[in-house]
Amino acid sequence: MSFSHLAALLPADARCVLAFSGGLDSSVLLHQLVSWQRQQPQLRVRALHVHHGLSPNADRWAAHCQQQCQQWHIPCEVLRVQVDARAGGIEAAARTARYQALFSHLQPGEYLLTAQHLDDQAETLLLALKRGSGPAGLAAMPQQRQVNGHWHLRPLLNLSRQQLEAYAVGHQLDWIDDESNADRRYDRNFLRQDVLPLLQARWPHFSAASARSAALCGEQEQLLDELLSEQLAQLTDAQGALHFPPLLACSEARRHALLRRWIGERGGAMPARDALQRITDEVMHSREDAQPCLRFGAHELRRYRERLYWLPRQHSLSQHSLTWQPLTQPLILPDGLGELRASPALAELRQPVADEQVIVRFQAHGYHHVVGRAGGREMKKLWQELGVPPWQRERIPLIYYNQTLIAAPGLFVTRAGAAGETQGWQAIWSTP
């Protein structure tokens, strides 16, 4: 048979990783890759099976996938994941966990292949319509996209399920059926079993027409990307923050388009239209001294000094207190903040005296005298002068000797902690 749909997406020496569920679709794609490999000996193929643990048959499915791959001499690894149904429902949570596991197990230069087909595309478009999505959502699933430097390809996207079934029967393939596919409580199953058969009975080419509509929406989004990319780059700084005042002079449509692309570049899901309006009303137009914060799932949007920041939701560490003893050993900081090391290379801090403990906290109040600044400062004023956004202030390790603030590594040293002419040391904060 012709493998033109694979050759159009993959070089002959590609290193392919198939997301192999063991179902009809991925079984067909695996068989096609194995068959194509016989014609292209330089092609490399391996499989990843994501074990969600949601079905009592999950272990049996994993064993089937490993056995099938072994029969065709394809390496297969089983990835076990935990699915949190509170994160947007079981369907969305399982999909998120699956892709996180797949992309985290890719090696440099590998392509990820998944087996979505034409009817899946029609379902995705209908789900986007149900959500009231704009062109980005209605573009449904692209045949190829880049994620974290890896190509994610969908070679079967132009083939119908009926074609895949005919291929599987013709090549006597063996596949498994997920019993959850019969549960109409899930939106995609409801569409697959109750809605699409009616639409295709009336309009036999409905799935193909839906795919064309999705492709046209994708082209419009790509054109907007090209037209807006220069302005967005000019407004985005090296840390990814967005300088927003120029957006307020734009039309609402342009402002929303720029915000969507900026959020997308940060890895966020496309916000609804009312959420974009809230960004304008509640964040951009809020008082200058306000600290607005909008939450979007696992992320939050904040404002500081005419810039918008898209951030993971963070925990306050204001109540944490760590004793650094001995100083010759690194101190591991909580919540993935890295570690502190004491270096004698630079005499920046005085050595603690016998009755002083070195303590690391994440909160400071009161009035402090800082080396290099005339007079004292309230802590809030000092953070402002240093340009530290409010949400970072309780996640910066502060070094104390007992109850006396000594330093914030890399930011300031207080006069009470300065080494002066005496022997001293330097605190080095290494972040991930």
Side-chain angles (χ1 to χ4, degrees), residues 27 51 125 168-169 245 288 296 311 336 348:
S27 296
H51 187 305
L125 181 66
V169 170
E288 187 176 346
F296 296 86
L311 306 162
E348 187 176 66

Side-chain angles (χ1 to χ4, degrees), residues 50-370:
V50 178
H51 187 305
H52 296 93
L54 297 174
S55 168
N57 297 311
D59 289 337
R60 183 172 60 84
W61 296 341
H64 166 87
C65 290
Q66 289 180 309
Q67 182 180 7
Q68 185 67 76
C69 287
Q70 185 178 13
Q71 178 183 335
W72 289 339
H73 306 290
I74 298 297
C76 179
E77 182 179 357
V78 175
L79 310 179
R80 295 178 180 269
V81 299
Q82 296 291 326
V83 178
D84 184 358
R86 296 171 299 178
I90 193 70
E91 286 180 285
R95 182 172 58 253
T96 298
R98 179 167 62 252
Y99 277 116
Q100 285 178 346
L102 291 169
F103 281 111
S104 68
H105 282 77
L106 293 181
Q107 299 299 319
E110 287 186 323
Y111 294 79
L112 176 66
L113 277 64
T114 55
Q116 291 94 348
H117 51 73
L118 192 64
D119 299 291
D120 292 328
Q121 185 76 308
E123 294 164 10
T124 302
L125 181 66
L126 290 172
L127 288 171
L129 285 171
K130 186 262 299 184
R131 292 192 299 267
S133 299
L138 296 175
M141 297 179 290
Q143 192 168 46
Q144 52 186 324
R145 62 171 182 153
Q146 271 199 305
V147 180
N148 299 329
H150 292 281
W151 280 105
H152 173 203
L153 308 178
R154 298 182 173 98
L156 305 182
L157 207 54
N158 293 321
L159 301 174
S160 68
R161 180 179 178 84
Q162 186 177 13
Q163 290 174 293
L164 299 185
E165 287 179 343
Y167 181 97
V169 170
H171 289 83
Q172 298 181 324
L173 302 185
D174 183 25
W175 66 89
I176 58 178
D177 287 311
D178 185 341
E179 72 277 355
S180 70
N181 288 335
D183 191 341
R184 287 179 169 84
R185 290 177 301 173
Y186 299 130
D187 290 343
R188 192 173 284 274
N189 292 344
F190 167 69
L191 290 174
R192 183 177 301 150
Q193 296 179 44
D194 293 351
V195 177
L196 274 174
L198 286 174
L199 293 173
Q200 289 171 338
R202 175 81 180 210
W203 302 295
H205 302 295
F206 178 81
S207 291
S210 298
R212 286 197 299 273
S213 293
L216 289 171
C217 288
E219 288 180 7
Q220 294 299 311
E221 282 298 291
Q222 183 179 348
L223 177 59
L224 275 177
D225 285 342
E226 294 174 5
L227 293 175
L228 297 175
S229 61
E230 183 177 351
Q231 183 181 9
L232 187 59
Q234 291 172 348
L235 297 175
T236 307
D237 66 18
Q239 286 71 47
L242 182 69
H243 181 60
F244 68 81
L247 269 64
L248 296 174
C250 296
S251 68
E252 181 182 275
R254 190 180 187 94
R255 180 168 65 250
H256 287 180
L258 286 164
L259 283 171
R260 285 193 186 97
R261 278 151 184 80
W262 175 70
I263 292 172
E265 288 181 358
R266 310 274 80 73
M270 285 298 99
R273 189 175 185 279
D274 61 339
L276 294 171
Q277 194 59 48
R278 289 185 65 197
I279 293 174
T280 299
D281 296 341
E282 301 176 27
V283 180
M284 296 186 191
H285 282 308
S286 62
R287 298 189 326 271
E288 187 176 346
D289 60 345
Q291 297 180 18
C293 174
L294 290 182
R295 289 183 174 176
F296 296 86
H299 293 85
E300 56 191 23
L301 184 139
R302 292 179 177 267
R303 188 196 76 182
Y304 183 65
R305 293 186 175 176
E306 296 189 335
R307 279 174 166 74
L308 300 181
Y309 293 81
W310 184 264
L311 306 162
R313 290 178 65 176
Q314 299 173 335
H315 305 290
S316 170
L317 300 176
S318 61
Q319 302 305 311
H320 277 64
S321 180
L322 307 171
T323 301
W324 193 354
Q325 179 66 34
L327 281 178
T328 54
Q329 297 296 318
L331 180 69
I332 305 302
L333 300 174
D335 213 24
L337 288 178
E339 66 177 23
L340 289 175
R341 291 185 296 105
S343 170
L346 181 64
E348 187 176 66
L349 309 178
R350 67 174 175 82
Q351 295 289 350
V353 297
D355 63 345
E356 288 180 325
Q357 278 191 314
V358 182
I359 299 172
V360 174
R361 301 188 177 98
F362 296 86
Q363 189 177 50
H365 299 290
Y367 200 75
H368 301 278
H369 292 268
V370 173

